[in-house]
Amino acid sequence: MLKPGIQQSQYSSKTCLFLLHKSFIYGNNGSASLPIWSKPSFIKKHTNIHTGFIPCNIKAVASTATEKSIKVKAVVTVKPTVRGFLSNLGIQRGLDDIKDLLGKTLLLELVSAELDPETGLEKDTIEGYAHKVGRGDNGVNYETIFEVPIDFGEVGAVLVENEHHREMFLEDIVIDGLPCGPVSVTCRSWVHSKFDSPAKRVFFTNKPYLPSQTPSALRRLREEELRNLRGNGEGERKHFERLYDYDVYNDIGDPDKSLELQRPVFGGEEYPYPRRCRTGRPRCEADELSEKKSSRFYVPRDECFSEIKQLTFSAKTLYSVLKVLVPSLGKTIDKDLGFPYFTAIDSLFTQGVDLVSEENQQGFLEAMMPRLVKSIADKGGAVLHFETPDTMSRDKFFWFRDEEFARQTLAGLNPYSIRLVTEWPLKSALDPEIYGPPESAITTEMIEEEIGGIMSVDQAIKQKKLFLLDYHDLLLQFVSKVRQIEGTTLYGSRALFFLNKDGTLRPLVIELTRPPMDGKPQWKQVFRPSWNSTDVWLWRLAKAHVLAHDSGYHQLVSHWLRTHCVTEPYVIATNRQLSVMHPIYALLHPHFRYTVEINALAREALINAGGIIESAFSPGKYSMEICSAAYALQWRFDQQSLPADLITRGMAVEDPTAPHGLKLAIEDYPFANDGLILWDAIKTWVTDYVNHYYPDPSLVESDQELQAWWTEIRTLGHADKKDEPWWPVLKTPKDLINILTTMVWVTSGHHAAVNFGQYAYGGYFPNRPTIARTNMPTEDPSDKEWETFLKKPERALLQCFPSQLQATRIMAVLDILSNHSPDEEYLGEKMEPSWAEDPVIKAAFERFHESLKELERIIDERNSNRRFKNRNGAGIVPYELLKPFSQPGVTGKGVPYSISI
């Protein structure tokens, strides 16, 4: 509760909720109040915009009074963080303490939203220094007193200058003493030191305005602030800056360290790719097209993780796994050593892996990863001890069963690949001169045998009974390259499934193909479930290859490309072209939190040359090339909505009489069943929001910021696809609703569905091996190799699986990626401050929240329904990946607003 101001208000207070992005520890618990002076000053050049709402016209309320001004108190809350405390122990801390004692910590200026009626110019700002007064419930408080003229008009913004030598995280500014009651300005932003840059920060009020509706006295600041956020493609970015600009992915490789780590530039005609946020680092000496690595990746300052997220999870923890834990494992485990027995895999969960690390690193790892790293008192060391995944704890042999292999295409980690077979026979679209005969080796006779004679292939296709995992053409182009890498192999693959009467899928056949290479002709073979020992083991090996392909496609395409990578241009364009005063900025902002930073971390340690993806997934150093090929061949914005995606894959058709307007090809498709309810809830919320701010359809086409935003996404953010005819037009509210709903879905539902189940389904890696290290025993075997397979087929499967080092590294990373931070912000859980200010938007959000709670109830009901065999049954993990809310930790549920891990 705010303390009463100098002038007691006779009007009711307005309060706002504030969400913290990143906090900062600064100073002691309190200090004595000091005299404050205030004076008018002229507005100077400023940078950044944030939100708050002060709908208070001083003159209108106080004009009947005899006084010419009123006293107004402003309280600024600076959020405490551990990192700020540790970084302020030197001489600069002493200088800043002196500033606090002198009462000159923050310089604030109130900006009127009204022009001077006599001159038609902006009014002078009202200036005052804020001094520290003590610690409040949410942080350290600083105060100042303003003498505000009664003809000042409505406050439109607050300017802030940080007099300290260190940046400070401002959570909010509360202004008390205005005739209409205390009001709050949401900041949630880092404010740089004036010694880093003299430019002041500007925080606008919470009331959204379309560009044409902006108060006259704020238009210049609105336009100027947007210009200040746009990079110009020049210079190396500094840590405290908030500049947004585009660049290609030219920082994946590290050629200065080794030419073996040189990688192509992704983005351009040869390797089409979305754009990333520009850093401006110097070019490599060994390759002038590539950027040098640096100890710190630049991301715009307010895109950084919150301190809680850093210290308990996310970036810090993932970075610790990649930079400390992974090297430690390399000292413990031989690089190419496989698992000798399946019991050795089980020991990862019962005994763990001893860690070899420095003493200080050991304590650090235990503190950062208590779930993974345990100390051992009698050994005086630490062990990497994995929690048993829920899938394995329910059914130890779940991964072995064919029905589970099929079920996971609908209710597992990658539900985005399964598609309906609509043409027969299957045929490759690749050049036969390079890749060999295009006809599939899967014959009609094979399929009809596996179906059991109950129908023909033609009947099965007409009745929508045949489904396919198809990685044939995408991967076949890279087989000859990948096979030059030691310790891995690759095929083009297809896996065919039949829809049973009970709604479950049954695997029919797997086809593996090698193109002509090394003087050998094309090789292809079809593997089928069988009743004789040899063919059973060949089937298991073929499944391992398909699962490795699916794991790679999931991580590179379904997850990284289709959520993380394509969203970064949306983030950049939103900050460059939409003012924070814009209602669409306010809608999108929660969905973009932390994405740029987690993507930067991925470029540094996950998708980089020699990183986790390259070292533990089948495509190796060609992983990003496959990702680029998928972007070029498969990605279209108009197919990223859930309904469009399902229709594109043949998994649904439009049907106005069906729920959600779609009839599913498989009724029991848990991802689609739950996802469509979530999609509808999101679309209803977005529709209510857009229609409120665009009551006249012509406002969309005349909104200059909005049109520039959409143009920039298409022509700069996705420049390699700028001329594609499928980009949606943006002329009406309906167009805008469809575009925004797609973006919100991708950052929330889509990402949650492919991310937070990674440890549940990949933690026991035989279920989803990330790499297949050996060829099939039937591919040009020597007599000795074939004899070895016949004698020890289990060993052949274990040798095909990831090595011990690859498996433990991946398991550790998947555990972290599946984790919810304690400060996770879930879709529809908490209301943004700007939404709460408008009764219409507030009511719409409350309906949205209730619809998500209803979805949770529906999911629970479906998971307990025995009719739905793809989500209910003996040993089956309930499908909860689209359940909106969750507790912290690895829970297998929860849909955050944004892509933050």
Side-chain angles (χ1 to χ4, degrees):
M1 189 78 172
L2 190 68
K3 295 179 181 179
I6 291 178
Q7 177 170 329
Q8 181 63 42
S9 170
Q10 59 178 318
Y11 294 85
S12 61
S13 300
K14 293 192 176 183
T15 59
C16 293
L17 297 175
F18 300 98
L19 299 177
L20 172 63
H21 271 205
K22 193 152 187 170
S23 33
F24 181 84
I25 225 174
Y26 212 88
N28 301 319
N29 287 339
S31 62
S33 298
L34 296 174
I36 304 300
W37 58 276
S38 62
K39 69 172 186 177
S41 68
F42 292 102
I43 298 177
K44 303 179 180 69
K45 187 175 182 180
H46 312 288
T47 62
N48 201 27
I49 302 173
H50 282 263
T51 54
F53 178 34
I54 309 177
C56 184
N57 190 312
I58 297 167
K59 182 177 180 181
V61 179
S63 59
T64 59
T66 57
E67 68 270 19
K68 296 182 179 181
S69 65
I70 60 173
K71 290 185 177 181
V72 174
K73 179 172 72 173
V75 179
V76 183
T77 300
V78 176
K79 198 69 176 180
T81 72
V82 174
R83 193 184 64 81
F85 174 75
L86 296 176
S87 65
N88 281 278
L89 299 179
I91 188 170
Q92 291 178 336
R93 168 64 182 272
L95 294 173
D96 292 342
D97 284 347
I98 294 173
K99 288 279 188 181
D100 287 345
L101 289 172
L102 293 175
K104 293 187 176 183
T105 304
L106 292 166
L107 176 61
L108 307 181
E109 297 179 46
L110 301 183
V111 180
S112 175
E114 301 175 8
L115 295 175
D116 189 311
E118 296 182 3
T119 65
L121 301 176
E122 296 171 10
K123 295 180 179 180
D124 293 342
T125 62
I126 307 301
E127 182 178 286
Y129 279 103
H131 65 289
K132 185 166 60 177
V133 295
R135 182 178 293 274
D137 293 338
N138 296 316
V140 179
N141 292 336
Y142 294 79
E143 290 185 3
T144 187
I145 306 297
F146 294 105
E147 290 281 348
V148 182
I150 61 171
D151 61 352
F152 187 71
E154 182 178 320
V155 177
V158 180
L159 308 179
V160 180
E161 181 178 79
N162 177 10
E163 304 296 306
H164 279 193
H165 290 77
R166 298 283 185 175
E167 63 185 353
M168 304 175 74
F169 187 88
L170 267 61
E171 184 176 8
D172 62 79
I173 303 170
V174 178
I175 302 175
D176 195 13
L178 293 168
C180 59
V183 292
S184 302
V185 177
T186 304
C187 303
R188 301 183 304 175
S189 179
W190 290 98
V191 177
H192 62 268
S193 166
K194 73 173 186 180
F195 300 100
D196 287 327
S197 171
K200 295 179 182 178
R201 291 292 306 277
V202 55
F203 296 99
F204 286 101
T205 62
N206 236 13
K207 185 177 181 180
Y209 293 102
L210 297 180
S212 61
Q213 300 167 349
T214 308
S216 300
L218 301 178
R219 288 178 181 174
R220 181 185 63 82
L221 276 179
R222 177 174 181 149
E223 295 169 2
E224 183 180 86
E225 176 62 13
L226 276 177
R227 287 195 299 271
N228 290 339
L229 288 171
R230 297 173 191 149
N232 60 4
E234 298 178 0
E236 183 173 3
R237 301 277 62 84
K238 298 179 178 63
H239 166 70
F240 63 86
E241 292 179 329
R242 299 165 46 254
L243 289 174
Y244 294 82
D245 206 351
Y246 299 94
D247 207 346
V248 293
Y249 279 69
N250 59 358
D251 58 351
I252 301 299
D254 193 1
D256 284 350
K257 183 176 182 180
S258 169
L259 289 178
E260 290 293 318
L261 299 177
Q262 186 173 12
R263 297 292 181 269
V265 172
F266 296 98
E269 185 175 355
E270 185 174 4
Y271 296 104
Y273 216 61
R275 299 304 191 256
R276 65 170 175 88
C277 191
R278 182 182 177 277
T279 62
R281 288 166 294 178
R283 297 303 175 96
C284 294
E285 296 175 6
D287 177 11
E288 62 179 12
L289 297 178
S290 297
E291 274 191 354
K292 282 181 177 290
K293 295 291 184 181
S294 63
S295 59
R296 191 173 202 169
F297 271 50
Y298 165 80
V299 295
R301 191 67 186 98
D302 285 337
E303 301 295 333
C304 295
F305 288 105
S306 76
E307 200 71 13
I308 297 173
K309 204 171 186 72
Q310 278 199 343
L311 290 176
T312 62
F313 162 54
S314 217
K316 281 277 189 186
T317 311
L318 183 56
Y319 192 88
S320 303
V321 169
L322 300 175
K323 295 296 186 180
V324 181
L325 181 60
V326 166
S328 176
L329 290 172
K331 299 174 184 177
T332 306
I333 307 171
D334 182 81
K335 177 183 176 184
D336 300 315
L337 184 65
F339 289 90
Y341 310 102
F342 278 95
T343 52
I345 300 175
D346 295 342
S347 70
L348 294 173
F349 307 100
T350 57
Q351 301 176 26
V353 180
D354 291 339
L355 294 176
V356 177
S357 60
E358 302 295 331
E359 186 175 345
N360 62 331
Q361 289 183 344
Q362 177 183 319
F364 173 73
L365 289 173
E366 288 180 49
M368 295 303 299
M369 291 167 281
R371 175 180 154 91
L372 283 175
V373 179
K374 311 287 194 299
S375 61
I376 305 178
D378 58 344
K379 291 186 177 181
V383 64
L384 181 65
H385 190 279
F386 292 99
E387 299 285 337
T388 303
D390 195 17
T391 45
M392 187 184 178
S393 66
R394 288 171 177 262
D395 180 358
K396 184 176 181 179
F397 302 105
F398 79 106
W399 67 278
F400 215 51
R401 296 185 285 109
D402 286 350
E403 58 268 30
E404 181 66 10
F405 166 51
R407 188 191 73 85
Q408 288 183 27
T409 65
L410 302 172
L413 189 56
N414 185 29
Y416 272 99
S417 285
I418 190 76
R419 59 181 55 245
L420 181 70
V421 175
T422 57
E423 296 181 355
W424 192 265
L426 301 176
K427 189 175 182 180
S428 171
L430 298 177
D431 186 350
E433 293 295 322
I434 300 174
Y435 299 102
E439 294 78 16
S440 170
I442 302 173
T443 66
T444 299
E445 292 73 24
M446 288 179 183
I447 299 306
E448 291 179 350
E449 275 185 32
E450 292 300 323
I451 291 175
I454 61 175
M455 66 178 66
S456 67
V457 169
D458 286 343
Q459 290 173 321
I461 291 175
K462 288 178 182 178
Q463 295 180 31
K464 298 185 177 181
K465 294 287 188 179
L466 292 182
F467 296 85
L468 180 69
L469 281 183
D470 189 357
Y471 301 123
H472 185 276
D473 285 10
L474 179 65
L475 297 184
L476 197 65
Q477 304 170 71
F478 294 90
V479 169
S480 60
K481 289 182 178 181
V482 169
R483 287 195 174 200
Q484 296 174 23
I485 304 172
E486 185 179 354
T488 187
T489 190
L490 194 65
Y491 294 98
S493 68
R494 296 184 179 103
L496 210 59
F497 302 85
F498 180 76
L499 180 62
N500 297 317
K501 287 183 178 180
D502 63 0
T504 60
L505 289 177
R506 174 158 53 99
L508 298 178
V509 296
I510 290 172
E511 179 183 25
L512 300 178
T513 305
R514 180 201 69 199
M517 56 179 291
D518 300 332
K520 297 178 182 179
Q522 182 194 68
W523 176 91
K524 62 179 66 170
Q525 186 172 348
V526 178
F527 302 90
R528 302 156 68 177
S530 182
W531 302 104
N532 70 80
S533 177
T534 299
D535 287 344
V536 165
W537 277 103
L538 288 174
W539 169 253
R540 289 169 180 163
L541 281 160
K543 270 203 307 183
H545 281 273
V546 168
L547 286 167
H549 302 163
D550 189 65
S551 293
Y553 186 89
H554 159 261
Q555 205 64 265
L556 289 168
V557 181
S558 300
H559 184 196
W560 165 255
L561 175 66
R562 291 185 62 181
T563 64
H564 287 258
C565 192
V566 301
T567 296
E568 189 155 345
Y570 309 155
V571 182
I572 299 170
T574 298
N575 283 278
R576 284 167 53 92
Q577 299 298 342
L578 296 182
S579 165
V580 294
M581 301 177 79
H582 201 293
I584 302 306
Y585 178 97
L587 176 68
L588 289 175
H589 181 65
H591 297 284
F592 294 158
R593 288 184 183 123
Y594 313 140
T595 300
V596 173
E597 181 157 28
I598 194 64
N599 286 1
L601 177 59
R603 300 201 312 275
E604 185 176 3
L606 280 173
I607 63 171
N608 62 305
I612 289 294
I613 297 295
E614 286 196 2
S615 64
F617 283 76
S618 284
K621 69 178 184 179
Y622 299 103
S623 295
M624 285 292 284
E625 291 187 29
I626 290 177
C627 189
S628 170
Y631 176 68
L633 295 170
Q634 300 175 2
W635 189 84
R636 296 173 45 155
F637 182 89
D638 63 329
Q639 294 178 354
Q640 299 312 299
S641 73
L642 179 58
D645 171 78
L646 293 170
I647 292 170
T648 299
R649 292 187 284 120
M651 301 303 290
V653 293
E654 292 188 33
D655 182 353
T657 65
H660 321 292
L662 293 178
K663 180 177 176 58
L664 294 175
I666 299 176
E667 181 185 353
D668 183 14
Y669 185 1
F671 161 70
N673 299 137
D674 299 351
L676 285 170
I677 297 178
L678 180 58
W679 168 270
D680 281 355
I682 292 170
K683 188 169 185 179
T684 299
W685 154 240
V686 172
T687 300
D688 290 343
Y689 191 96
V690 169
N691 287 339
H692 178 63
Y693 288 107
Y694 293 93
D696 181 350
S698 65
L699 289 172
V700 170
E701 198 165 8
S702 63
D703 187 333
Q704 295 179 347
E705 286 184 7
L706 190 69
Q707 294 298 326
W709 167 79
W710 185 234
T711 298
E712 188 165 292
I713 285 172
R714 292 182 288 111
T715 61
L716 295 181
H718 289 272
D720 300 327
K721 290 182 175 282
K722 62 183 174 64
D723 297 322
E724 296 287 357
W726 41 255
W727 283 105
V729 297
L730 180 53
K731 293 183 177 181
T732 67
K734 183 179 179 181
D735 297 335
L736 180 58
I737 288 164
N738 290 332
I739 290 168
L740 294 174
T741 305
T742 297
M743 290 182 178
V744 170
W745 163 257
V746 167
T747 60
S748 57
H750 181 150
H751 181 258
V754 298
N755 183 75
F756 293 104
Q758 292 196 76
Y759 191 73
Y761 287 102
Y764 187 73
F765 70 85
N767 181 59
R768 290 185 65 80
T770 58
I771 188 171
R773 297 190 296 153
T774 59
N775 294 338
M776 289 294 294
T778 52
E779 185 194 339
D780 305 326
S782 65
D783 292 341
K784 183 178 180 181
E785 289 170 337
W786 182 249
E787 189 66 25
T788 300
F789 164 68
L790 293 178
K791 287 182 177 179
K792 293 284 187 180
E794 179 183 337
R795 180 175 297 178
L797 182 59
L798 287 166
Q799 288 176 340
C800 184
F801 281 158
S803 69
Q804 293 187 35
L805 182 58
Q806 290 169 330
T808 50
R809 283 175 170 176
I810 284 293
M811 289 166 66
V813 171
L814 295 185
D815 185 274
I816 301 302
L817 294 180
S818 303
N819 207 324
H820 285 297
S821 169
D823 72 338
E824 195 80 85
E825 297 170 21
Y826 296 100
L827 181 68
E829 185 177 39
K830 295 181 180 179
M831 195 178 306
E832 291 289 294
S834 63
W835 305 341
E837 295 288 348
D838 189 308
V840 174
I841 299 302
K842 183 175 183 289
F845 179 84
E846 288 171 348
R847 292 193 297 271
F848 180 45
H849 176 77
E850 289 302 315
S851 69
L852 298 180
K853 289 171 64 176
E854 175 64 10
L855 174 56
E856 292 218 318
R857 186 196 65 77
I858 292 172
I859 289 175
D860 288 339
E861 186 179 82
R862 286 172 170 174
N863 286 333
S864 63
N865 191 332
R866 293 185 180 181
R867 187 167 66 89
F868 299 133
K869 300 188 185 307
N870 290 320
R871 63 195 307 159
N872 177 285
I876 288 179
V877 173
Y879 189 77
E880 296 185 314
L881 290 173
L882 292 177
K883 207 169 182 181
F885 311 119
S886 174
Q887 302 78 37
V890 179
T891 64
K893 58 186 174 183
V895 180
Y897 271 110
S898 66
I899 303 166
S900 60
I901 189 62

